[in-house]
Coordinates of all heavy atoms in Angstrom, one line a residue:
R249 N 26.4 -4.0 -99.7 CA 26.1 -4.5 -101.1 C 26.9 -3.6 -102.1 O 26.9 -2.4 -101.9 CB 24.6 -4.5 -101.4 CG 23.9 -5.6 -100.7 CD 22.4 -5.6 -101.1 NE 21.7 -4.6 -100.4 CZ 20.6 -3.9 -100.9 NH1 20.2 -4.2 -102.1 NH2 20.0 -3.0 -100.2
F250 N 27.5 -4.3 -103.1 CA 28.3 -3.5 -104.0 C 27.8 -3.8 -105.4 O 27.6 -4.9 -105.8 CB 29.8 -4.0 -103.9 CG 30.3 -3.7 -102.6 CD1 30.2 -4.6 -101.5 CD2 30.9 -2.5 -102.3 CE1 30.7 -4.3 -100.2 CE2 31.4 -2.2 -101.1 CZ 31.3 -3.1 -100.0
Y251 N 27.6 -2.7 -106.2 CA 27.1 -2.8 -107.5 C 28.1 -2.0 -108.4 O 28.6 -1.0 -108.0 CB 25.7 -2.2 -107.7 CG 24.7 -3.0 -106.9 CD1 24.4 -2.6 -105.6 CD2 24.0 -4.1 -107.5 CE1 23.5 -3.3 -104.8 CE2 23.1 -4.7 -106.7 CZ 22.8 -4.4 -105.4 OH 21.9 -5.0 -104.7
V252 N 28.3 -2.4 -109.6 CA 29.2 -1.7 -110.6 C 28.4 -1.7 -111.9 O 27.5 -2.5 -112.2 CB 30.5 -2.4 -110.7 CG1 31.4 -2.2 -109.4 CG2 30.4 -3.9 -111.0
S253 N 29.0 -0.9 -112.8 CA 28.4 -0.9 -114.2 C 29.2 -1.8 -115.1 O 28.8 -2.0 -116.3 CB 28.3 0.6 -114.7 OG 29.5 1.3 -114.4
D254 N 30.4 -2.3 -114.7 CA 31.2 -3.2 -115.5 C 32.3 -3.8 -114.6 O 32.6 -3.3 -113.6 CB 31.9 -2.4 -116.6 CG 32.3 -3.2 -117.8 OD1 31.9 -4.4 -117.8 OD2 32.9 -2.7 -118.8
M255 N 32.9 -4.9 -115.1 CA 34.1 -5.5 -114.5 C 33.9 -5.8 -113.0 O 34.7 -5.5 -112.2 CB 35.3 -4.6 -114.7 CG 35.5 -4.0 -116.0 SD 36.2 -5.2 -117.2 CE 37.9 -5.2 -116.7
A256 N 32.8 -6.5 -112.8 CA 32.4 -6.8 -111.4 C 33.5 -7.6 -110.6 O 33.9 -7.3 -109.5 CB 31.1 -7.5 -111.3
E257 N 34.2 -8.5 -111.3 CA 35.1 -9.4 -110.7 C 36.4 -8.6 -110.3 O 36.9 -8.7 -109.2 CB 35.5 -10.5 -111.6 CG 35.7 -11.8 -110.8 CD 35.8 -13.0 -111.8 OE1 34.7 -13.4 -112.3 OE2 37.0 -13.4 -112.1
Q258 N 36.9 -7.7 -111.3 CA 38.0 -6.9 -111.0 C 37.8 -6.0 -109.9 O 38.6 -5.7 -109.0 CB 38.3 -6.2 -112.3 CG 39.7 -5.6 -112.3 CD 40.0 -4.9 -113.7 OE1 39.6 -5.4 -114.7 NE2 40.6 -3.7 -113.6
F259 N 36.6 -5.4 -109.9 CA 36.2 -4.5 -108.8 C 36.3 -5.2 -107.4 O 36.8 -4.6 -106.5 CB 34.7 -4.0 -109.0 CG 34.2 -3.1 -107.9 CD1 34.4 -1.8 -107.8 CD2 33.5 -3.8 -106.8 CE1 34.0 -1.1 -106.7 CE2 33.0 -3.0 -105.8 CZ 33.3 -1.7 -105.7
Q260 N 35.8 -6.4 -107.4 CA 35.7 -7.1 -106.2 C 37.2 -7.4 -105.6 O 37.4 -7.2 -104.4 CB 35.1 -8.5 -106.4 CG 34.5 -9.1 -105.2 CD 33.6 -10.2 -105.6 OE1 32.8 -10.1 -106.6 NE2 33.7 -11.3 -105.0
Q261 N 38.1 -7.7 -106.5 CA 39.4 -8.0 -106.0 C 40.0 -6.7 -105.5 O 40.7 -6.7 -104.4 CB 40.3 -8.4 -107.2 CG 40.3 -9.9 -107.6 CD 41.0 -10.2 -108.9 OE1 41.8 -9.3 -109.3 NE2 40.7 -11.3 -109.4
F262 N 39.8 -5.6 -106.2 CA 40.4 -4.3 -105.8 C 39.8 -3.9 -104.4 O 40.4 -3.5 -103.5 CB 40.2 -3.3 -106.8 CG 41.1 -2.1 -106.8 CD1 42.2 -2.1 -107.7 CD2 41.0 -1.1 -105.8 CE1 43.1 -1.1 -107.6 CE2 41.9 -0.1 -105.7 CZ 43.0 -0.1 -106.6

Side-chain angles (χ1 to χ4, degrees):
R249 284 183 285 149
F250 297 88
Y251 297 90
V252 289
S253 46
D254 202 6
M255 311 284 279
E257 218 168 280
Q258 197 177 317
F259 171 87
Q260 205 167 314
Q261 275 173 19
F262 204 102

